[in-house]
Amino acid sequence: MDYSSSKEPSPAATAARAWWSRETVAVVTGANRGIGLALAARLAEHGLTVVLTARDAERGEAAAALLRDRGLHVVFRRLDVADPGSVRAFAAWLRDAVGGLDILVNNAAVSFNEIDTNSVEHAETVLRTNFYGAKMLTEALLPLFRRSSSTSRILNISSQLGLLNDEETLTEAEVEAMASRFLSQVKDGTWRERGWPKVWTDYAVSKLALNAYARVLARRLQSRGDRVSVNCFCPGFTRTDMTRGWGKRTADEAAEVGARLALLPPDELPTGTFFKWCTPQLYSKL
């Protein structure tokens, strides 16, 4: 099924079929710019309450203020997904001040490579943010999902650079071991001959681990009847700071599709699915 639409529905049509309300809380990480900011804006435009997070408090608050100036219901909270203390503090604040969440968009990510380069100098930072950080935050917030009748949602902003096969047999321990093995091979200089992706290697491995974890988590939650869906979305080559302004589409275009996937009607909402743009994809070899 293609979840795209050739024509954007009217606000009245969207409101008529909306399962959400102002009380629906969406957390978007890394949202002071790029796809994260565009997604926060799009979700708020649909009438949700959005918690916009960023590592830099000044930039994050400025981004949230711009959206509030447009009449959107957006609050800012500082969050560094790679810092356990920051994650714990954010989870406590979300529990005590907001009361929980319904949607988590794991968007925060870093890459230190130019378009035509492939250094792994910052591999540890890349994996700590893009995989370990997203996983740590997800696990910390799982108890806070409100498990509504419309089903809570986790949407990981990911990449087809990290597609994989044989995901049905993976375990969480194997995903962690894979990430650790890559970092060990980076340290001893043997990573080039070990068959890792050849394009943006550290970023691709971080997204491979995130995609695999999402599948494992989706199976875990589904097996115990937990009403939280877990999906991944690849926006493709998008013009952001990470791509140094190169790309086929804008952050707003990516956010339009991302928001549509995050807000799918409950009877159309899958779990454990990887969306390449707006079409579900079979996981495949790197």
Side-chain angles (χ1 to χ4, degrees):
M1 179 184 296
D2 191 324
Y3 289 85
S4 65
S5 171
S6 59
K7 183 179 180 181
E8 176 66 10
S10 68
T14 298
R17 60 182 174 79
W19 56 266
W20 61 88
S21 69
R22 174 61 63 85
E23 284 67 47
T24 303
V25 175
V27 173
V28 184
T29 67
N32 64 294
R33 60 183 180 177
I35 294 175
L37 177 57
L39 255 170
R42 196 71 187 100
L43 291 170
E45 287 166 0
H46 277 292
L48 289 77
T49 293
V50 174
V51 179
L52 183 158
T53 80
R55 285 182 300 172
D56 188 298
E58 185 175 347
R59 292 176 181 175
E61 179 53 47
L66 286 174
L67 299 185
R68 287 196 297 270
D69 288 346
R70 293 170 47 194
L72 302 176
H73 201 228
V74 177
V75 297
F76 169 70
R77 189 72 179 179
R78 184 185 177 278
L79 170 64
D80 181 351
V81 300
D83 178 356
S86 180
V87 169
R88 286 193 299 269
F90 178 79
W93 171 83
L94 191 67
R95 179 194 65 222
D96 298 339
V98 182
L101 78 161
D102 304 281
I103 299 171
L104 170 62
V105 180
N106 280 315
N107 169 75
V110 296
S111 175
F112 295 88
N113 280 303
E114 301 290 339
I115 296 301
D116 56 352
T117 64
N118 189 31
S119 166
V120 295
E121 179 184 356
H122 302 286
E124 188 170 348
T125 298
V126 171
L127 264 76
R128 187 168 65 244
T129 301
N130 301 2
F131 167 54
Y132 292 110
K135 179 177 182 290
M136 179 167 55
L137 178 66
T138 298
E139 297 290 344
L141 298 189
L142 273 177
L144 304 183
F145 276 97
R146 293 192 276 217
R147 273 75 170 176
S148 67
S149 59
S150 57
T151 305
S152 301
R153 296 112 190 276
I154 298 169
L155 184 66
N156 299 309
I157 308 304
S158 194
S159 172
Q160 63 181 326
L161 292 175
L163 287 179
L164 65 157
N165 64 350
D166 296 330
E167 75 285 348
E168 293 297 339
T169 64
L170 283 173
T171 65
E172 189 170 329
E174 289 170 333
V175 176
E176 293 271 1
M178 179 272 294
S180 296
R181 185 165 63 252
F182 170 69
L183 290 175
S184 294
Q185 291 168 4
V186 166
K187 289 180 180 179
D188 67 23
T190 63
W191 65 274
R192 287 184 180 84
E193 62 251 32
R194 299 304 181 103
W196 298 107
K198 299 185 183 305
V199 177
W200 277 19
T201 302
D202 53 4
Y203 180 83
V205 171
S206 74
K207 293 301 186 179
L208 185 154
L210 180 62
N211 293 339
Y213 165 67
R215 293 283 285 188
V216 171
L217 178 61
R219 289 202 312 269
R220 186 216 304 173
L221 297 176
Q222 197 170 38
S223 69
R224 67 189 195 196
D226 208 331
R227 299 181 64 83
V228 181
S229 74
V230 187
N231 296 306
C232 294
F233 164 52
C234 172
F237 195 28
T238 304
R239 295 194 289 276
T240 64
D241 289 349
M242 185 180 291
T243 63
R244 311 303 189 261
W246 291 75
K248 297 179 179 179
R249 44 181 71 101
T250 67
D252 285 337
E253 289 171 331
E256 176 59 42
V257 174
R260 195 176 300 154
L261 295 176
L263 298 176
L264 282 171
D267 60 349
E268 296 179 21
L269 182 66
T271 191
T273 299
F274 181 94
F275 290 92
K276 180 182 176 183
W277 194 231
C278 46
T279 305
Q281 299 289 307
L282 293 175
Y283 281 53
S284 60
K285 291 183 178 179
L286 289 164

